[in-house]
Amino acid sequence: MGVLEDARYEGVDLRPWGKFDRTTRMVYSLLFHLIDVGAVAGVLWDRFLTSSQREVISAGLGMSQERARSLVSFLAAMHDIGKLIPYFQSLERAAQMRLGEGLLADTGRVVEVPHARAAMHAGLHLLGELGFELGGNDSPAVRAAQCLGGHHGRFLQLDVDGAASAHRVQTTFGGPVWQDLRRRYTRLLWHLFGVDEAPERVSVEAAVLITGLTMVADRVASQRRYWVPNAHTSSFGAAEHHSHARRQAEEEVERLGLARFPLDRVPFTTAHPGLVEPNALQASVMQELPHLVAGRGSGIAVVTDAMGAGKTVTALEMARIFNEYCGTQGVMWLLPSTAAADQAYEVLDRYVRAHRPEYSPVTLVHHHSDLNEAYTQRRLSPEDASVLDGPPDGPFADDQNSLSADDETEYGPGAAGPDRWLRGRDNALLAQYTVTTIDQAQMAVLPVRHSALRMLALSGRTVVVDEAHALDAFSQLQLLRLLHWLGALNSPVVLLSATMPASTTTELVRAYLSGAGRTGLHSVPFAPGYPGWLFADAATGNAHLMPEPAQDQHRAAQRRTARIRTRPVTYRRLGQTGRSVDAGERLAVIADTLQPVIHHGGCAAVVCATVADAQDTYAYLRSIWTGPAHDLVLVHSRVGERRRQNTLADLRRELGPAGPRPLRRVVVTTSLLDMSLDIDVDVMVSDLASAARLLQRLGRLGRFTRRWADQSRPVWWAADNSPTLTVLHPVNSRGETSLPPGWGTIEPPATLHETARLLPQLEKTPLVVPDDVQALVEQVHGVTSGFAAETARLQRMAAAHRGRTSRLQQLSALHLVPPSKRVSSLADLHRQYLTTAQAATRPGALPRRLLPCYRTADGVLTLDAAGLVPLPDQEHLSPRHLRSILEHTVPVPAAWAARASARHQPPASWKQHPLLTDTLLLPTQQITRESECERSEQFGHHWLRMDDELGLLHHKQQ
């Protein structure tokens, strides 16, 4: 029987099953599911992929985009051909009984083979019969077969002469009847999706994007709400079902928010409310960049500008230009911290909505984005876990395509636009506009499951890397590899930084250009100047700089002075409450510096090196505080998620550019200030930090002075006097820098010592921003820094720093996937088995989460001290219960909780939920305040206690 006959009524056997619902015992034809996925892939090609992505795939296949679309749809449809084997068909007895007598009689010995691997092994020969050349690892048949096997998240090694040999396939996947039906299915799909010839090649980049697209199509078509209606009213034949599947796919892709949408051109002031006109740097970008990109295509841009000078607006304008001329659509905004991502989400969401699109899905992806009030009001379920905390994926798990998954429940759009499907799991990364922490993007270049889907999500739009200077050696190596892949995928990138050394900028740009195929750039510098912008096009590798007149104009407009004052201090912990603090101690100097604010009003920030120092500082200031209690604010990472987010939101509102500004406010915080608070304070005190961090903090000092017309400063503020950043310099009895224990783990000691050495010079004259910023950054953080030769002690510190950096780079490189040009077999991308829970995007172990709770007299655990809210313990947690748990949790270093005992384990039902699986309990007895010292909980050598005001207190037994 020919392929045309197979497409008609009763032409081909439809009884083998692809989906089975255990609740209703509903069976869905495998062939229909294959057609569904191929149809969805075709619609995704039209509506989801950008022209840039389509070009990468068609060029990688060596064919026109029209022919490439047909081939991609066919390969997507072939993803589950491995289900047409005796082992899979025997998994459900009720469904197996539907098989015809011919298949049942030809079953033979049933060999257990996961269907993804079976699809690869059987597909290799089926594709070969269609004209795919079968040769080495890079041959079209091998790579296309690996795409089939990789649709469950990992590319598998293909042994052509072993497990994938024709003989092994015939002996393990059923007899000639099974083989003939697989061949008929394959040729029928080839016909239905209009493929006319096999590709001459399959590039690595094309294979990755095709596999990612197949994953998305499979998820869409595997929703129970998608296929069950089809099972109830099945088509007569494959041709009829194919016609129906195309219409259904178009409706579903639109419903799920996967269809790309253009943003209409609007005036600058409409796109960026609150701005009267672009500054000189932004105007330069809007004038110069369009013709550069129109003539040379995609590339990488770098923007360096002073803190608070408008880099975010510049990046959005660059993204608009790139998307207009490079065939890309949307923005993926990468930030170093969750707090920074929360703030950026509000900015990007406001920007998209300013264009008034009919539908505007803007997603926020990080560990606990569900607790962001601007992004909540939806159901929390296991499918909604963040990418880092997704369901476990065992090395031999087959996933069975979630046979009993309940993905069909619909929920309307929330406050931010996207519905539940687009906000669940790593689907959220697929939204056209996404804000996420950078670790979610780094996972694309680690050998974790579904990395191809992440690469698909990153490509095809402008990727903005904010605070690009904030990564250490471990994470920056991963960023370099990510930029290499983005260059290979022809995706435009924008790097933003206020304090990035020229050497780092050059290294990042070269990584992108090397991925784009540009070589011989080892001696070419890529530094935009400060402030300024640079665009390096992928076509030639040439750098195009901001014109000097515009640079001078912007520098003059942004120029302001600030003073850095150094106060030598004796570092001493507060210890027991009530201890007298001597003059010259760190705490006494802080109180002295804040006297104008305490007595006459104003806003101040005290930035501490560690959480413990912030807790001490707040406790001491509270003991001497005479004003309203709410005027003194403590915010750090070791408080409940809800409290931290609420406090940060209040500070952004009260101390932000709009106000209204409080008469007095003192904020005690940590490095959260460096990247997550767009605020203005009148006075600032900071513990010793690197030059880059001090400059970041300086950017919050008098930040909105130029912008304000109706905001008044306190009476003690002198308009002709530069705002002052007071840096606390810890010294010993000889006046030498003496770093307290624990500070060296935050930043390299050599960097802190060099910054301390430069501080006296900075006191002599006011610091001119932005003129003096880059030179100061280069002195401490650049490759030309010569501080290591000053003393033997600094030489040893510098050597130790270089050694640690080298070790971190080596450790990071262990798990990185190779550059695209060095990939032979696609299995090289998953050569190591690494789960998302194990993958490290930063040095050190992943943090654990503690849930502070209370134990009543009768042993019941509750979330509140009053004992009124019992700890939820049930098989299916409601969204309200789940959110109440998450918003009380606190992140801690894994070492602190390594010796957890049975009393710290959560209810067994929590282990089934990916958002709670690593949570530990921190129980507190409901006892009186007088015995507070006995309330600490022991985890091995670590003692932990949650204080209502100070947050989590930690003490390590020596």
Side-chain angles (χ1 to χ4, degrees):
M1 186 174 290
V3 66
L4 292 180
E5 288 78 13
D6 277 350
R8 298 171 183 166
Y9 176 57
E10 290 187 347
V12 68
D13 190 350
L14 301 177
R15 287 173 291 186
W17 65 278
K19 295 290 180 185
F20 181 77
D21 179 39
R22 289 191 177 99
T23 303
T24 62
R25 306 187 72 79
M26 179 63 63
V27 178
Y28 190 49
S29 166
L30 171 61
L31 180 58
F32 286 0
H33 173 62
L34 300 183
I35 294 173
D36 287 345
V37 174
V40 172
V43 175
L44 289 175
W45 176 281
D46 299 331
R47 307 293 303 279
F48 173 74
L49 290 186
T50 63
S51 60
S52 171
Q53 290 171 307
R54 292 194 289 265
E55 175 60 30
V56 170
I57 294 175
S58 59
L61 297 176
M63 54 178 57
S64 68
Q65 290 196 20
E66 182 180 359
R67 292 169 57 203
R69 180 192 186 278
S70 298
L71 183 63
V72 168
S73 299
F74 164 74
L75 290 176
M78 285 285 290
H79 77 291
D80 267 353
I81 196 66
K83 288 184 176 180
L84 192 51
I85 62 174
Y87 169 67
F88 181 87
Q89 292 297 315
S90 67
L91 291 176
E92 289 294 343
R93 180 65 178 168
Q96 184 188 26
M97 293 173 62
R98 300 174 69 250
L99 297 180
E101 293 181 0
L103 289 175
L104 291 173
D106 195 39
T107 295
R109 184 170 64 92
V110 176
V111 180
E112 181 178 348
V113 181
H115 78 263
R117 185 173 294 277
M120 180 176 66
H121 289 173
L124 177 68
H125 303 284
L126 295 170
L127 294 172
E129 293 175 359
L130 294 172
F132 285 71
E133 180 187 352
L134 176 57
N137 286 331
D138 59 350
S139 64
V142 171
R143 283 194 172 159
Q146 286 183 307
C147 289
L148 305 186
H151 78 272
H152 272 305
R154 296 185 186 278
F155 289 113
L156 308 172
Q157 183 61 48
L158 184 60
D159 185 358
V160 175
D161 298 321
S165 65
H167 173 72
R168 290 283 293 275
V169 169
Q170 293 170 5
T171 57
T172 56
F173 296 162
V177 177
W178 290 88
Q179 177 67 19
D180 179 67
L181 189 56
R182 287 195 294 268
R183 183 179 292 112
R184 291 172 66 182
Y185 272 24
T186 300
R187 293 183 181 275
L188 179 55
L189 295 172
W190 182 268
H191 164 73
L192 289 175
F193 291 105
V195 189
D196 51 15
E197 64 177 326
E200 297 180 357
R201 64 178 181 272
V202 178
S203 71
V204 173
E205 296 85 358
V208 169
L209 295 185
I210 291 171
T211 306
L213 189 72
T214 302
M215 292 178 189
V216 179
D218 191 24
R219 290 185 181 185
V220 172
S222 294
Q223 299 173 97
R224 189 173 176 276
R225 60 167 302 279
Y226 190 91
W227 65 264
V228 166
N230 295 338
H232 279 295
T233 56
S234 58
S235 303
F236 289 114
E240 182 188 4
H241 184 76
H242 178 245
S243 177
H244 166 74
R246 286 181 296 178
R247 295 191 300 271
Q248 185 182 17
E250 290 177 356
E251 295 172 0
E252 191 65 12
V253 168
E254 185 74 27
R255 189 192 74 84
L256 294 177
L258 290 171
R260 300 287 182 180
F261 58 91
L263 293 184
D264 296 333
R265 291 291 298 270
V266 298
F268 179 86
T269 53
T270 302
H272 311 284
L275 298 182
V276 178
E277 61 181 2
N279 62 32
L281 190 149
Q282 294 157 358
S284 173
V285 166
M286 296 165 66
Q287 180 178 353
E288 302 291 334
L289 190 59
H291 75 265
L292 291 175
V293 179
R296 294 167 176 81
S298 182
I300 183 171
V302 182
V303 178
T304 59
D305 202 357
M307 295 66 66
K311 292 187 295 297
T312 297
V313 172
T314 306
L316 290 173
E317 287 300 311
M318 282 186 160
R320 176 185 60 79
I321 295 168
F322 280 134
N323 291 338
E324 184 174 347
Y325 293 100
C326 297
T328 54
Q329 287 183 299
V331 172
M332 173 79 83
W333 203 290
L334 310 180
L335 295 112
S337 69
T338 59
D342 287 338
Q343 180 167 307
Y345 167 74
E346 298 176 11
V347 174
L348 184 59
D349 184 62
R350 186 165 57 246
Y351 171 80
V352 173
R353 291 182 181 280
H355 292 76
R356 298 187 179 279
E358 293 183 4
Y359 180 61
S360 56
V362 182
T363 57
L364 175 65
V365 186
H366 61 67
H367 182 67
H368 273 168
S369 57
D370 302 297
L371 299 181
N372 183 304
E373 286 192 349
Y375 192 66
T376 186
Q377 300 178 14
R378 69 181 180 92
R379 177 185 172 91
L380 287 176
S381 69
E383 303 90 74
D384 297 326
S386 71
V387 179
L388 282 176
D389 300 298
D393 45 355
F396 306 107
D398 195 28
D399 192 23
Q400 299 304 334
N401 230 351
S402 302
L403 296 177
S404 60
D406 183 17
D407 284 339
E408 82 286 2
T409 308
E410 295 187 54
Y411 296 88
D419 66 13
R420 176 180 176 269
W421 189 90
L422 196 56
R423 300 175 80 160
R425 295 190 295 187
D426 42 5
N427 297 339
L429 294 171
L430 299 170
Q432 185 167 331
Y433 290 89
T434 304
V435 176
T436 180
T437 48
I438 194 169
D439 49 12
Q440 303 289 356
Q442 288 169 292
M443 303 286 269
V445 291
L446 292 174
V448 299
R449 196 176 185 190
H450 301 130
S451 57
L453 186 145
R454 289 183 177 85
M455 201 64 77
L456 174 75
L458 282 161
S459 62
R461 51 179 159 175
T462 301
V463 178
V464 179
V465 185
D466 208 344
E467 308 287 355
H469 63 276
L471 301 179
D472 56 26
F474 185 97
S475 302
Q476 191 171 40
L477 194 62
Q478 296 177 346
L479 176 59
L480 290 170
R481 186 59 49 83
L482 176 63
L483 291 175
H484 179 100
W485 272 87
L486 291 174
L489 293 169
N490 205 30
S491 296
V493 173
V494 179
L495 304 177
L496 304 178
S497 179
T499 55
M500 188 156 61
S503 56
T504 302
T505 304
T506 297
E507 189 177 21
L508 294 174
V509 174
R510 286 176 184 166
Y512 177 92
L513 294 177
S514 68
R518 307 283 73 78
T519 58
L521 301 175
H522 298 291
S523 60
V524 180
F526 293 95
Y530 192 91
W533 61 266
L534 169 149
F535 168 63
D537 65 87
T540 66
N542 292 328
H544 312 274
L545 297 171
M546 178 180 180
E548 288 189 12
Q551 198 169 21
D552 293 338
Q553 179 184 356
H554 183 67
R555 186 179 294 114
Q558 299 294 326
R559 186 172 289 125
R560 65 189 181 97
T561 60
R563 291 186 177 274
I564 294 181
R565 180 177 61 166
T566 307
R567 294 287 298 271
V569 297
T570 302
Y571 179 88
R572 186 182 173 192
R573 292 293 307 275
L574 182 61
Q576 296 296 327
T577 304
R579 176 181 74 82
S580 61
V581 174
D582 299 330
E585 278 192 46
R586 171 183 173 277
L587 296 174
V589 173
I590 291 174
D592 180 63
T593 307
L594 295 178
Q595 288 304 308
V597 176
I598 293 175
H599 294 294
H600 304 291
C603 300
V606 182
V607 191
C608 305
T610 68
V611 172
D613 293 328
Q615 292 169 330
D616 275 0
T617 303
Y618 176 83
Y620 178 68
L621 292 177
R622 184 186 59 190
S623 68
I624 64 173
W625 197 256
T626 58
H630 64 265
D631 283 350
L632 181 62
V633 178
L634 173 66
V635 56
H636 55 72
S637 60
R638 279 188 227 139
V639 295
E641 290 283 344
R642 173 61 64 199
R643 174 182 164 185
R644 181 179 62 83
Q645 291 205 13
N646 288 344
T647 304
L648 289 175
D650 290 343
L651 290 176
R652 287 197 296 265
R653 182 182 64 255
E654 295 174 348
L655 304 183
R661 195 170 177 83
L663 296 177
R664 176 170 57 182
R665 189 74 82 243
V666 174
V667 182
V668 180
T669 185
T670 59
S671 57
L672 280 175
L673 180 80
D674 300 342
M675 293 174 287
S676 58
L677 288 179
D678 184 21
I679 63 172
D680 174 299
V681 294
D682 306 313
V683 63
M684 183 180 292
V685 185
S686 171
D687 279 326
L688 177 65
S690 65
R693 289 202 176 192
L694 291 179
L695 289 170
Q696 288 285 340
R697 293 167 190 178
L698 194 67
R700 274 76 179 176
L701 191 58
R703 186 183 186 100
F704 305 130
T705 300
R706 291 179 178 273
R707 196 184 311 182
W708 283 347
D710 56 352
Q711 294 276 11
S712 59
R713 295 289 181 182
V715 293
W716 50 266
W717 174 278
D720 57 344
N721 190 22
S722 303
T724 302
L725 169 64
T726 300
V727 179
L728 307 178
H729 179 200
V731 297
N732 56 22
S733 58
R734 297 184 299 275
E736 300 171 338
T737 301
S738 178
L739 299 181
W743 283 26
T745 61
I746 302 170
E747 293 189 276
T751 304
L752 295 177
H753 277 267
E754 168 60 1
T755 302
R757 189 181 67 84
L758 291 178
L759 287 176
Q761 302 177 27
L762 299 177
E763 281 194 280
K764 296 178 181 177
T765 57
L767 183 69
V768 180
V769 179
D771 303 61
D772 298 338
V773 171
Q774 193 64 36
L776 183 57
V777 170
E778 297 295 343
Q779 283 189 67
V780 177
H781 303 274
V783 294
T784 59
S785 175
F787 70 87
E790 290 295 320
T791 65
R793 184 184 180 197
L794 282 178
Q795 284 181 341
R796 289 194 300 271
M797 287 183 179
H801 173 51
R802 287 192 294 268
R804 182 176 183 272
T805 299
S806 178
R807 289 192 298 274
L808 288 176
Q809 290 174 337
Q810 291 175 9
L811 182 62
S812 180
L814 285 176
H815 288 158
L816 279 176
V817 303
S820 58
K821 300 299 185 291
R822 288 172 50 195
V823 174
S824 176
S825 168
L826 293 177
D828 293 341
L829 299 176
H830 289 98
R831 186 69 63 185
Q832 303 175 74
Y833 182 82
L834 198 67
T835 68
T836 50
Q838 296 166 338
T841 55
R842 303 177 190 180
L846 293 174
R848 297 295 300 269
R849 302 199 73 83
L850 294 183
L851 176 67
C853 54
Y854 300 87
R855 192 182 302 276
T856 63
D858 53 2
V860 176
L861 290 172
T862 64
L863 286 173
D864 64 323
L868 301 178
V869 185
L871 218 61
D873 182 10
Q874 54 207 51
E875 183 177 357
H876 299 291
L877 293 170
S878 69
R880 179 176 57 84
H881 284 148
L882 184 56
R883 184 170 285 111
S884 68
I885 294 170
L886 293 176
E887 66 187 17
H888 283 86
T889 59
V890 179
V892 299
W896 290 10
R899 300 285 297 276
S901 62
R903 59 187 269 104
H904 302 128
Q905 299 303 318
S909 61
W910 293 17
K911 293 296 184 181
Q912 307 304 315
H913 201 294
L915 288 175
L916 303 177
T917 183
D918 288 330
T919 303
L920 294 173
L921 302 183
L922 180 64
T924 300
Q925 296 290 344
Q926 290 180 325
I927 54 180
T928 61
R929 194 76 175 179
E930 287 72 20
S931 55
E932 187 175 355
C933 60
E934 301 175 3
R935 297 172 67 184
S936 295
E937 188 72 18
Q938 184 177 8
F939 291 77
H941 296 296
H942 299 272
W943 293 80
L944 303 174
R945 176 171 63 85
M946 177 58 74
D947 184 271
D948 293 340
E949 278 190 281
L950 301 179
L952 187 69
L953 300 176
H954 168 253
H955 171 69
K956 184 177 181 181
Q957 186 177 20
Q958 301 298 327

